[in-house]
Amino acid sequence: MADSRSASAQLSATPADRPVYVIGAGPGGLAAACALRARGIRAVVLEKADRVGNSWRGHYDRLRLHTTRRLSALPGLKIPRRFGRWVSRDDVVRYLEKYAEHHQLEIVTGVEVFRVDRAEDGAGWLLHASGGRELTGSAVVVATGYNHTPRIPDWPGLESYGGEFLHAGAYRNAAPYAGRDVLVVGVGNTGAEIAVDLVEGGAARVRLAVRTVPHIVRRSTLGWPAQYSGVLVRRLPVRFVDRLSRLQARAALPDLSAHGLPRPDTGLYSRVKEGAIPVQDVGLIDAVRGGRVEIVAAVDSFEDGKVVLADGSRIEPDAVIAATGYTRALEGLVGHLGVLDERGRPLAHGGRTPAGAPGLYFTGYTNPISGMLRELARDAGKIAKAVAKHLRTAR
């Protein structure tokens, strides 16, 4: 059984017994802890919530992985076949719970880490955590999650907007919006799927505000998952993949220009390198072609109870759902260490450490075309190998 302790549990911070601390009990943190344990290294997972996989529990009800069951498993435990090819949110949570138990991971819940500093003796890292705790670790793996803090653009007039407004992170299902006029802002995978969910759930009108036209791919074509293609092409030249994906899109996808979604004028893989993953179609194409999801211009501001769009038009929906993404929110935790870039992303990830920060590792802060869970699993082994080497050289 997993060793899951409450916030009141005793945490060793003595120089003679310095574990590797893993911050976050999501997929990345659990995978890293498992890989470390497999090498005989004590890893203690610190989780601010009261259970593992907490962020997954808060996703919308209809969510399923866009990556296959087989390529989404973490090291040392397959995802059960009964969960199907595209695993549901609830089954992901069940799998993470089973994973922690199966590998007997040492997990301490109810502990939030606010800041990571170098240890005073120069050997390891000092973690400042809730309850006044100061924990000294031989190494630290930061795995607080890609979707950490909801991001809402600084739209003029939003603070005084009197209509219903929520971030997509607070959306659960379409039931509260049946018979209502809803504007979804943002056409990433989350925005696209919420728009389809609203249509299927009985919303009277669904509009989708788009600033940058996305690349759309079929989740599966003739049984071949888009993820498989992502794995195959991720090491190929960007221009070649851009050209190939453009040809594939013209052959496999309808032209939605007449409905407000023209084909993108930038390459698919070029966009991925900038951090924008293609939208996997789970019903959006048919909903747009059928007029059930209306494409409108990007949101510019809020004024007099109305939403002002970039084309100058004004609309007055019953509710606005902002699918505008998340921030990593790492600045307070490690920003003072010089390990983040200008966008707040770690300068190094996986088995590599930032320059001047030996023993500090990051996992889960990229969004690869080959699937995040697959790469988290691969990074876990790299991190464990690097930590083992680091601990040997530090002796």
Side-chain angles (χ1 to χ4, degrees), residues 5-8 45-51 107-113 129-131 133:
R5 309 178 185 181
S6 68
S8 61
V45 182
L46 304 176
E47 169 56 49
K48 68 177 181 179
D50 60 355
R51 49 194 176 175
I107 302 169
V108 185
T109 58
V111 175
E112 182 174 5
V113 180
S130 54
R133 297 175 181 82

Side-chain angles (χ1 to χ4, degrees), residues 283-318:
L284 180 66
I285 291 175
D286 288 343
V288 170
R289 292 176 73 185
R292 298 185 300 279
V293 170
E294 305 170 43
I295 304 300
V296 298
V299 170
D300 184 69
S301 62
F302 292 77
E303 186 178 325
D304 297 329
K306 295 182 175 63
V307 181
V308 182
L309 303 180
D311 61 4
S313 60
R314 295 167 179 256
I315 60 177
E316 194 171 0
D318 298 321

